[in-house]
Amino acid sequence: MTIGAALRLLVVMVLWAACFPLITIGLDLAPHLAFAALRAALAGVCLIALGALCHRPVPVGARPWFLIVVVGLGATSMGFFGMFHAAEFVSPGLATVIANVQPIVAAVLAYVFLEERLKATGRIGLAVGLAGITVVAWPGLAGDDARGYSQGIAYVLLAATGVSIGNVAIKRLTGQADPIMAMGFQLLIGAAPLALLSMLTEDISVLTWSKEFVLVLVSLAVLGSSLAFWLWFVALERVELSRANAFTFLVPIFGLIIGAAFFGERLEAVQIFGVVLVLSGIFLVQRSAASS
């Protein structure tokens, strides 16, 4: 892996870690799904406009478009749906930790669809990572608001599954479409179901177009989506999915730092142990996949 690819992946991890805190801020100013749809749509428009200005080609062919749709429905529709709803029930730092079950889910999908085989070390990592997620979530599950906490975790896992599906599709899409245009169109496609669900289930009139909301929305759309998806796609053109996903173990660390710095989050000792298990499990899975 080149230094440039590693730096791109590192930037993506920082951007992803900042998403949950920004979502938490914005949820007080807009309905969940309307907020998610606006983020995806604005990000898609920005990338497509950039692609047009740079004279990038529009994807051609049934297979690239099929994969773009899969990425849009998985990483954007499912991913954003889960993330934006989870932020109502789970603190940003913990949400970031639990969301990073994604590499484990992706390892399973890569085994099925990309023929990336896991050794014994990888299988042990799966078990360790899942055990860690249970430990991290346990204090909330055993608390007074167990039902709401459980719902939040379910949304986070839904988002992680959608992102995993999208990552497998992105890996298959590399080399078949321009990164900027492909990610721009998938974001627009993914925004459509979110917008439809918002119109059917939410009161859009409560959306507050304040300076704070616009700043949060633009930050999420341009940095957390447009830039992050583009850099991720470019990285996957040069790096195997399993090796790139190894960097995601940094996201919980960045997320917990952000949560502690800006939201006053404090983890219980048992949760710190769970975080260590999660990171260890993800590391074992990715190490096994990278060495196979």
Side-chain angles (χ1 to χ4, degrees):
M1 183 184 300
T2 65
I3 295 177
L7 288 176
R8 280 191 288 271
L9 288 169
L10 186 61
V11 171
V12 171
M13 301 312 128
V14 174
L15 293 174
W16 282 349
C19 285
F20 271 113
L22 288 173
I23 291 171
T24 301
I25 295 171
L27 286 182
D28 292 332
L29 307 171
H32 298 63
L33 295 177
F35 187 13
L38 285 170
R39 172 190 174 183
L42 178 58
V45 168
C46 288
L47 280 178
I48 292 173
L50 176 62
L53 288 173
C54 296
H55 304 289
R56 297 294 183 90
V58 174
V60 177
R63 178 178 171 81
W65 276 107
F66 171 75
L67 292 172
I68 288 171
V69 170
V70 172
V71 177
L73 297 180
T76 299
S77 296
M78 288 178 62
F80 285 15
F81 181 91
M83 277 190 283
F84 279 73
H85 279 296
E88 182 180 353
F89 303 100
V90 184
S91 62
L94 288 181
T96 307
V97 172
I98 300 168
N100 277 274
V101 68
Q102 182 274 132
I104 297 175
V105 178
V108 175
L109 294 178
Y111 175 84
V112 176
F113 295 102
L114 300 178
E115 299 183 351
E116 294 182 3
R117 299 292 185 254
L118 284 178
K119 297 180 179 180
T121 304
R123 293 192 290 271
I124 293 173
L126 287 176
V128 171
L130 292 174
I133 292 164
T134 303
V135 172
V136 170
W138 181 252
L141 291 172
D144 296 332
D145 190 27
R147 183 177 179 181
Y149 195 84
S150 301
Q151 190 173 351
I153 291 175
Y155 280 128
V156 175
L157 294 178
L158 174 67
T161 302
V163 172
S164 300
I165 293 170
N167 282 342
V168 172
I170 288 174
K171 183 59 181 175
R172 290 218 166 175
L173 184 60
T174 56
Q176 301 185 49
D178 176 77
I180 295 178
M181 300 302 279
M183 293 299 95
F185 280 113
Q186 73 86 3
L187 282 161
L188 280 184
I189 291 169
L194 296 172
L196 179 60
L197 284 173
S198 177
M199 289 186 289
L200 293 174
T201 62
E202 296 178 333
D203 180 10
I204 309 299
S205 63
V206 302
L207 194 156
T208 305
W209 286 100
S210 62
K211 292 181 180 179
E212 182 182 17
F213 176 70
V214 172
L215 179 61
V216 169
L217 177 62
V218 171
S219 298
L220 277 170
V222 176
L223 300 177
S225 296
S226 296
L227 180 59
F229 269 117
W230 174 43
L231 291 175
W232 182 246
F233 189 108
V234 172
L236 288 183
E237 286 185 318
R238 298 166 173 81
V239 181
E240 294 178 359
L241 178 58
S242 58
R243 296 188 67 193
N245 254 335
F247 277 76
T248 60
F249 80 88
L250 294 172
V251 177
I253 297 174
F254 293 140
L256 290 172
I257 292 172
I258 292 171
F262 297 100
F263 292 87
E265 287 189 50
R266 293 295 180 269
L267 294 180
E268 298 180 15
V270 66
Q271 290 176 307
I272 294 175
F273 175 64
V275 170
V276 173
L277 287 178
V278 171
L279 299 182
S280 299
I282 292 172
F283 174 76
L284 288 172
V285 170
Q286 303 311 322
R287 182 179 181 182
S288 173
S291 63
S292 60

